[in-house]
Amino acid sequence: MASTSLSSSDQSQPSSTFKFTNPQDLFKLVDTTSGDFLIITEVTPRDFADLDEQREVRGRGFRWRRYYAESQILLIAIPTHAHEMLHRILYEKFHEKVPARENTWRTKAATTFRAGRDRGEGDSTGGPIPERRGHDKWPTLVIEAGVSESLAQLRLDTQWWFAASNHDVKIVLLAKLDSSQRMITVEKWVEEPVAAKPGATTTRRSAALRPILQQVITIHRNEATSPISYNVTRGALVLEFGLLFLRSPGEGEGDIIISVSDLQRYAECVWD
């Protein structure tokens, strides 16, 4: 690379967008940025392979949110405190309610998933055992968080998970913190079949699917009360058992419900 430092892209791009120059400057940028998200352009597949190796050697904990080989764009998620609390506590609230039977669920955390030459790492992921045992098996649940990353960008991530996994991912949760509004937005995305043309015959697996926003929950922090309170709109978060575990619920099992009080405690942990 001719340049010795990462350079900001043109004025039309977000301030978190930079052109790749070399690994050393990229790692320095990650260390000095104040946000939790970066967009790096002009990263060739060879550059990315080198970066991936360097990240492993240096033991760095940031994530390759997404690498698009064709467009040579690398999205990086940086594990700031707020970012980690947004997804980890929400995942913990879910995991607390997983059926108590042994070997029913496998946490896959930020495992790297491959779709052709593209790569993706979720913030928190997991899937049922034995159906999704193994590093090459896609999760059924993905959680991605954003603080400086926009909700619009997070929604693009949702599309990638469904398409890249060939629809093996069943539920994507997005958790977005808006500090200025004292608000957390949680979106639940699933897929539904596109209506078939009259006379067409398709199976659920082969039918064309599209992502839909099935549930939106907002949690507002109210600092005018003593103690501080958290107001949850649109009720509890419901995660369908069949989508998570790829089977019908057995005796004593059912949909995973993260209650309003769970969401209030979740928000309190994010702001602590």
Side-chain angles (χ1 to χ4, degrees):
M1 298 279 178
S3 175
T4 59
S5 64
L6 286 162
S7 56
S8 287
S9 296
D10 62 81
Q11 295 292 327
S12 65
Q13 295 291 334
S15 58
S16 59
T17 301
F18 297 85
K19 184 170 68 176
F20 179 73
T21 54
N22 60 65
Q24 292 72 25
D25 290 326
L26 177 62
F27 290 122
K28 184 183 298 182
L29 177 65
V30 170
D31 288 338
T32 58
T33 190
S34 59
D36 68 331
F37 181 69
L38 293 170
I39 303 172
I40 310 298
T41 64
E42 300 186 27
V43 182
T44 69
R46 180 176 293 183
D47 290 332
F48 178 71
D50 186 29
L51 286 169
D52 198 34
E53 181 180 351
Q54 288 288 326
R55 184 184 65 160
E56 183 71 20
V57 169
R58 298 177 186 220
R60 302 304 300 271
F62 57 83
R63 302 180 189 99
W64 305 136
R65 168 61 58 82
R66 204 77 64 245
Y67 175 63
Y68 299 103
E70 184 174 351
S71 59
Q72 299 187 2
I73 292 175
L74 175 62
L75 311 180
I76 299 175
I78 302 169
T80 63
H81 175 78
H83 183 102
E84 294 302 276
M85 292 301 100
L86 271 175
H87 71 87
R88 284 191 178 185
I89 302 301
L90 186 57
Y91 185 82
E92 287 174 8
K93 293 298 179 186
F94 154 76
H95 200 254
E96 289 170 359
K97 300 175 185 296
V98 168
R101 289 183 358 212
E102 293 183 4
N103 296 325
T104 59
W105 186 263
R106 173 66 54 82
T107 295
K108 290 177 175 283
T111 297
T112 302
F113 294 95
R114 294 167 168 78
R117 295 192 301 164
D118 293 350
R119 300 289 185 272
E121 296 174 353
D123 287 320
S124 286
T125 66
I129 297 173
E131 293 84 356
R132 297 299 171 84
R133 179 184 281 120
H135 298 299
D136 60 336
K137 300 293 186 181
W138 290 82
T140 55
L141 174 66
V142 173
I143 303 177
E144 292 205 344
V147 180
S148 59
E149 182 178 5
S150 70
L151 193 52
Q153 179 63 54
L154 284 167
R155 288 170 178 162
L156 290 177
D157 295 336
T158 295
Q159 296 177 22
W160 186 88
W161 282 107
F162 288 132
S165 70
N166 194 26
H167 314 292
D168 279 347
V169 170
K170 303 301 182 184
I171 299 175
V172 178
L173 299 180
L174 305 178
K176 167 64 179 172
L177 173 65
D178 186 334
S179 298
S180 64
Q181 298 297 317
R182 299 290 191 269
M183 180 177 71
I184 296 171
T185 300
V186 177
E187 292 189 350
K188 173 192 170 187
W189 289 80
V190 297
E191 288 190 297
E192 68 174 12
V194 176
K197 295 180 180 179
T201 58
T202 57
T203 65
R204 176 66 174 80
R205 178 69 180 181
S206 64
L209 299 171
R210 64 177 180 182
I212 62 163
L213 177 56
Q214 192 177 75
Q215 193 173 6
V216 181
I217 295 171
T218 57
I219 311 170
H220 289 86
R221 175 181 167 95
N222 186 355
E223 298 180 353
T225 60
S226 182
I228 293 170
S229 59
Y230 297 89
N231 302 321
V232 178
T233 63
R234 302 184 186 92
L237 177 61
V238 180
L239 306 178
E240 292 83 354
F241 187 95
L243 294 178
L244 293 167
F245 292 92
L246 306 177
R247 61 178 175 84
S248 299
E251 184 178 354
E253 298 176 329
D255 292 345
I256 304 295
I257 298 176
I258 301 177
S259 68
V260 169
S261 60
D262 290 329
L263 292 168
Q264 289 170 328
R265 288 193 291 271
Y266 159 62
E268 185 177 6
C269 290
V270 170
W271 263 285
D272 275 352

